[in-house]
Amino acid sequence: MNKLRTGAFHTGMILLSLLWLGPVLWVVVMSTRSFDDIAAHGVGSLPHSFTLDTYRQAWTDGGELRALINSMLVTVPSVALSLGLAAMAAFALSRFRIPGRRTILLLMLAGNLLPPQILLIPVAKFSELTGLYDTLWALIAVQVGFGLGFYTFVLHGFMRDLPGEIQEAATIDGAGTGQIFTKVMLPLTRPALAALGALSFTWIFNDLLWAITVLRTDDNMPVTPALLALQGQFVSSWNVIAAGTVIAAVPTVAVFLRFQRHFVSGLALGAVK
């Protein structure tokens, strides 16, 4: 009976995996087909050609290189600032008796409960008033501001559950608040930081809504708005559009594979706590 259940479970997981991988493989295969092949046989047919020139077109003619650089210039500082500020805020709120700390944490988290659509116009107007509109700094500020509450909430849960004796021992040894934070708390919360880092990198890198809200010129657009422009430029060249999609997915896949071990351990630690 157990073998039957195990076999049924594995069969179901294989089918679900194929269901998820099917569209991905279809896009990858389509990105290596020529335009004539797709025009003659359709996008859903088996490939009758193989070419990598589609990637060159998406990379150079479609502006994917510039867009990827812009995405990295936004994503890396946003992730670093978000996690750094969130870690400091979580450390203060979880390890010190600050009056109203629960209220402060709930107010920080409440900002993430608002639908972003109702904030588009205020954010755009505010970026214009501050002179940051159509700059990468505006997008960085938006990503940090709207992610800070959630990251603080998650890190607060991890730091709060750490034994207080660790902090007391470090204090007895002469460590100051800054040393306790950097040499004790941050190393112990590394799984949570890695998990949040992988998630925030994916969220910020793939963001479209805020990018088209505070940016206007094509030279400043990150990769997701660039894919929209790619569809307009190569409206009937589905192979080039598919190649651009594959290129845009590579950084997030690489980050997840790099931090996969920390990501899984961070989720497991959160489940146990």
Side-chain angles (χ1 to χ4, degrees), residues 61-122:
D61 301 339
E64 285 286 297
L65 174 59
R66 181 187 66 248
L68 282 174
I69 293 175
N70 290 337
S71 290
M72 297 304 296
L73 290 176
V74 170
T75 304
V76 174
S78 297
V79 172
L81 285 173
S82 298
L83 294 184
L85 294 174
M88 289 187 285
F91 174 65
L93 293 172
S94 62
R95 313 304 295 190
F96 298 97
R97 297 187 179 275
I98 300 175
R101 58 180 179 177
R102 183 181 294 272
T103 303
I104 295 173
L105 185 63
L106 291 177
L107 286 175
M108 295 180 67
L109 185 62
N112 295 99
L113 303 179
L114 293 174
Q117 291 81 2
I118 68 174
L119 300 174
L120 297 181
I121 295 178

Side-chain angles (χ1 to χ4, degrees), residues 25-34 36-38 41-51:
L25 294 176
W26 178 69
V27 171
V28 173
V29 171
M30 186 168 59
S31 68
T32 61
R33 298 174 62 183
S34 66
D36 295 335
D37 179 13
I38 295 178
H41 302 94
V43 294
S45 64
L46 293 176
H48 295 79
S49 62
F50 180 84
T51 179

Side-chain angles (χ1 to χ4, degrees), residues 93-251:
L93 293 172
S94 62
R95 313 304 295 190
F96 298 97
R97 297 187 179 275
I98 300 175
R101 58 180 179 177
R102 183 181 294 272
T103 303
I104 295 173
L105 185 63
L106 291 177
L107 286 175
M108 295 180 67
L109 185 62
N112 295 99
L113 303 179
L114 293 174
Q117 291 81 2
I118 68 174
L119 300 174
L120 297 181
I121 295 178
V123 168
K125 291 294 184 182
F126 182 76
S127 64
E128 289 181 356
L129 292 175
T130 55
L132 295 177
Y133 185 74
D134 198 28
T135 65
L136 296 182
W137 288 110
L139 188 54
I140 292 173
V142 169
Q143 298 291 359
V144 172
F146 282 96
L148 188 59
F150 174 74
Y151 304 146
T152 302
F153 177 78
V154 175
L155 291 175
H156 172 270
F158 278 88
M159 292 185 180
R160 180 192 57 194
D161 292 334
L162 294 176
E165 292 79 4
I166 297 177
Q167 183 175 347
E168 295 174 0
T171 303
I172 294 174
D173 290 339
T177 303
Q179 291 177 315
I180 294 175
F181 173 69
T182 56
K183 297 183 179 181
V184 178
M185 289 299 172
L186 286 184
L188 290 175
T189 56
R190 186 176 63 177
L193 288 171
L196 283 177
L199 286 175
S200 61
F201 185 95
T202 303
W203 291 338
I204 296 172
F205 190 89
N206 292 332
D207 176 69
L208 173 65
L209 186 63
W210 293 119
I212 61 178
T213 300
V214 299
L215 298 177
R216 180 176 56 206
T217 58
D218 293 338
D219 291 339
N220 290 331
M221 290 295 179
V223 70
T224 43
L227 285 177
L228 288 179
L230 192 68
Q231 290 181 347
Q233 183 178 357
F234 298 92
V235 61
S236 60
S237 300
W238 292 101
N239 52 348
V240 178
I241 297 173
T245 303
V246 173
I247 293 174
V250 168

